[in-house]
Amino acid sequence: MAIFHAILAGGTLRDRLVASAGGVIGIGLTGALALALLHPVGLSPWLVAPMGAAAVLVFAVPASPLAQPWPVIGGNTISAFVGVTAAKLIPDVALAAGVAVGGAILIMSLCRCLHPPGGAAALTAVVGGPVVLSTGYWFAAVPVGLNAVLLTLAAVAFHRFSGHSYPHRPPPVVQHGAPDREDVDRALEDLSETYDIDREDLTFLVQRAVHHAAVRRAAPQQRRPR
């Protein structure tokens, strides 16, 4: 379709429609279940904004390392805990907000659960207002942790029918003279950049590109008259 130009490599209009449906179902179920569990006991908020950003990752780019279950659950929960700690220890709100987000990035990285919405969870813990501040460390578990678990379960169920693997499992890498993981690691070191793709997926992608390049180069020779 001419009006649709994929931003993500490999993205199609069908994938974006599937992601949109996943967002509706995932956030809808997460919100409904969280409300049913938390409303009777008077806990508020029952759904936090970072789950909207998490839904974009788990439904639009389910193969991303940032969208896997541990980053979704651990990243949001740990970051909210860091944010609450910053809010309690630092009186200046602006400074506390900066420390919360920066600290969340560091702790998520060390815990191997880097998840962009975690930064929003940390920030919400600082600037979320009296309701959030009065919740204290419980905010990290309820609603943030609960929301993250429910959203992850919804994503696992949804992707059983979406055509995507979730949790993502990289395809097996077959070596036939093509670059292997060590070559990819060295290339990443040369570029000094971080890419939102698993090393195994990247290795597999490079190998498939080498394969198709060989097929393309061989095609004219096969058509050449003898």
Side-chain angles (χ1 to χ4, degrees):
M1 182 178 288
I3 63 172
F4 177 78
H5 297 281
I7 298 176
L8 299 172
T12 64
L13 178 58
R14 176 192 176 278
D15 286 334
R16 300 291 76 84
L17 292 174
V18 169
S20 177
V24 173
I25 296 171
I27 291 296
L29 284 175
T30 299
L33 291 173
L35 180 60
L37 292 171
L38 301 182
H39 181 68
V41 294
L43 290 178
S44 180
W46 47 270
L47 184 64
V48 291
M51 293 305 111
V56 174
L57 287 171
V58 300
F59 294 111
V61 283
S64 169
L66 307 179
Q68 301 313 297
W70 170 234
V72 175
I73 299 171
N76 280 298
T77 305
I78 290 171
S79 295
F81 186 90
V82 172
V84 172
T85 301
K88 286 180 174 292
L89 297 180
I90 304 174
D92 184 85
V93 176
L95 179 59
V99 170
V101 175
I105 293 173
L106 175 61
I107 300 302
M108 284 191 292
S109 299
L110 294 175
C111 293
R112 300 178 63 84
C113 59
L114 189 65
H115 184 65
L123 186 60
T124 302
V126 176
V127 301
V131 174
V132 172
L133 294 177
S134 64
T135 306
Y137 284 110
W138 273 108
F139 175 72
V142 180
V144 174
L146 176 63
N147 284 176
V149 170
L150 293 175
L151 182 65
T152 300
L153 292 175
V156 171
F158 178 82
H159 283 303
R160 288 183 177 272
F161 306 97
S162 71
H164 299 288
S165 65
Y166 188 84
H168 179 62
R169 297 174 179 81
V173 175
V174 181
Q175 299 181 14
H176 293 297
D180 59 17
R181 175 170 174 166
E182 182 179 352
D183 298 319
V184 170
D185 284 341
R186 290 181 177 177
L188 290 171
E189 292 175 2
D190 292 341
L191 296 174
S192 298
E193 295 287 351
T194 301
Y195 296 92
D196 186 14
I197 182 172
D198 188 271
R199 277 182 168 82
E200 282 72 20
D201 284 320
L202 184 56
T203 303
F204 181 78
L205 178 62
V206 171
Q207 291 188 351
R208 294 306 299 168
V210 170
H211 166 75
H212 287 292
V215 171
R216 175 175 50 80
R217 287 192 295 266
Q221 298 179 2
Q222 295 174 356
R223 292 196 298 267
R224 187 178 303 167
R226 297 179 179 178

